[in-house]
Amino acid sequence: TPVNVTTTPIPLKGARWNFISYLPQVNMTIKEALAGYKASDEDVIKSQTGFAMYSTQNGWIGSLNYLEPGKGYMIYRNRSNDTAFYYPKNNGSLTGRFSQDVNPTANERPVSANYRNAENMTIAAVVAGEFTLQAGDTIVAFVGGELRGKAIPIKNPEIANLTYFLNIGGEAEQPVLFMVQRGRDFVAQAVSVINYRSNTNMGKLSKPFELRFSKQSLTTTIYPNPFTTSTNLTVDLGGSQATGNHEVQVSIVDTRGRLMLQKAKEIVSGTTYKMSWNGKKSDGSDCANGIYFIHVVVDNIPRVYSVMRQ
């Protein structure tokens, strides 16, 4: 039996994260669902796959647009005092509307790691520096070779600029590598890494975290891509200007970060490194059809490329 949402308080502790139940039986926008909560600047609400921050001037901004029955959420209350709020009656602007009429999750870009990990961290980021993004580019986050987060640009009226809202799944503290994905290619890599920490938030609406990218320094060709039986990887180690020896190691992982194949480190002289992959794991068994990430480490500098087996 559904509870009476208008008489059931949702308690919140101050200056900390709070797990909250979503009691209404219909979808509601965050503005509608939290109308009874007196939010303050830098309050955050998040799910496993999206989050939004509060601005007194502009309301809730982020990749999480609405709340759904049956899903859990967390709220970070910025004020230090405890409080409680009530949900409104079971109605809202989304009631009775179908997916073809409204797509409130369009800003979220879930990856499988969002659902497998019990915790996540959130980042509101902008791209700074000389690297220029193109329409359709996404920012992705890798932890330990596994794709842990993905985001598209969202309008942020606080700074009159586009901002990326990332939910990065995880539990253990590990380095997070950010890259720019364009189609199936990774065209740039962040010049620095951060450490993953559960239930932390980096960046504010008024001052997002700055990500600076540099272009992939190695020209790489993967052909054919997609492939059926085998594909060839060619890495330009620096063109005609390359001199001396280079240490190269190649690993192939699936979208869950599971290691399929790891080649031993090789010392390569010259300007080009080449290898072929027959779509098999290190034990000789076939990899299933799907997307895989080829990690190429040249002289301790990592690069990531994607390939599809079909």
Side-chain angles (χ1 to χ4, degrees):
T1 303
V3 300
N4 185 337
V5 299
T6 61
T7 59
T8 306
I10 305 296
L12 295 177
K13 296 284 186 181
R16 58 164 288 178
W17 282 104
N18 298 266
F19 285 99
I20 63 167
S21 302
Y22 179 63
L23 302 181
Q25 301 299 300
V26 297
N27 298 342
M28 290 187 189
T29 65
I30 295 181
K31 180 180 178 180
E32 293 166 343
L34 300 184
Y37 170 56
K38 191 174 182 181
S40 61
D41 283 329
E42 298 175 28
D43 279 5
V44 179
I45 182 169
K46 71 174 180 177
S47 65
Q48 287 179 292
T49 56
F51 81 101
M53 301 184 76
Y54 187 77
S55 153
T56 343
Q57 215 170 11
N58 296 288
W60 294 98
I61 302 167
S63 57
L64 183 64
N65 303 127
Y66 80 128
L67 306 186
E68 300 175 79
K71 287 191 176 180
Y73 300 91
M74 295 179 77
I75 286 183
Y76 183 84
R77 176 167 169 77
N78 201 37
R79 288 192 174 118
S80 58
N81 63 306
D82 299 346
T83 189
F85 72 94
Y86 297 85
Y87 288 113
K89 290 182 180 179
N90 289 335
N91 54 50
S93 61
L94 301 181
T95 303
R97 300 183 70 182
F98 299 96
S99 57
Q100 62 264 32
D101 302 318
V102 62
N103 186 15
T105 59
N107 290 333
E108 295 183 40
R109 288 294 184 271
V111 297
S112 56
N114 288 140
Y115 302 106
R116 288 197 315 278
N117 291 282
E119 299 174 340
N120 63 36
M121 73 178 292
T122 49
I123 301 177
V126 291
V127 175
E130 297 179 357
F131 183 80
T132 304
L133 292 167
Q134 296 182 7
D137 286 354
T138 58
I139 291 180
V140 296
F142 285 94
V143 178
E146 180 183 16
L147 182 62
R148 294 282 186 87
K150 181 181 286 191
I152 59 172
I154 294 171
K155 186 177 179 181
N156 178 1
E158 291 285 295
I159 57 171
N161 201 352
L162 297 174
T163 301
Y164 292 80
F165 294 84
L166 285 139
N167 279 57
I168 300 173
E171 293 175 34
E173 185 172 322
Q174 290 177 283
V176 181
L177 173 67
F178 296 95
M179 304 194 78
V180 175
Q181 184 173 7
R182 184 172 295 161
R184 283 201 300 267
D185 298 323
F186 298 95
V187 297
Q189 178 173 310
V191 297
S192 59
V193 297
I194 64 168
N195 276 338
Y196 170 87
R197 290 187 178 88
S198 294
N199 290 331
T200 58
N201 181 75
M202 298 184 67
K204 305 175 182 178
L205 292 174
S206 57
K207 192 177 181 181
F209 178 73
E210 290 190 348
L211 287 171
R212 297 177 182 272
F213 291 94
S214 61
K215 291 182 179 179
Q216 293 272 42
S217 59
L218 304 177
T219 302
T220 300
T221 303
I222 303 173
Y223 184 82
N225 187 15
F227 75 98
T228 302
T229 55
S230 67
T231 187
N232 302 299
L233 172 74
T234 303
V235 181
D236 184 347
L237 299 177
S240 59
Q241 304 302 315
T243 57
N245 295 330
H246 302 276
E247 184 182 77
V248 180
Q249 184 173 36
V250 176
S251 305
I252 298 173
V253 301
D254 66 8
T255 55
R256 295 182 60 179
R258 296 176 298 188
L259 187 64
M260 301 289 105
L261 175 72
Q262 185 171 58
K263 293 178 66 67
K265 290 181 180 178
E266 300 179 52
I267 302 299
V268 179
S269 60
T271 61
T272 305
Y273 171 80
K274 294 183 178 181
M275 69 158 280
S276 294
W277 181 45
N278 58 5
K280 294 183 181 293
K281 302 177 186 177
S282 55
D283 62 4
S285 61
D286 281 325
C287 290
N289 292 347
I291 294 176
Y292 295 88
F293 298 113
I294 301 178
H295 293 251
V296 182
V297 181
V298 179
D299 299 330
N300 294 317
I301 300 174
R303 296 290 183 267
V304 183
Y305 308 94
S306 65
V307 64
M308 177 181 286
R309 186 176 193 195
Q310 62 180 16

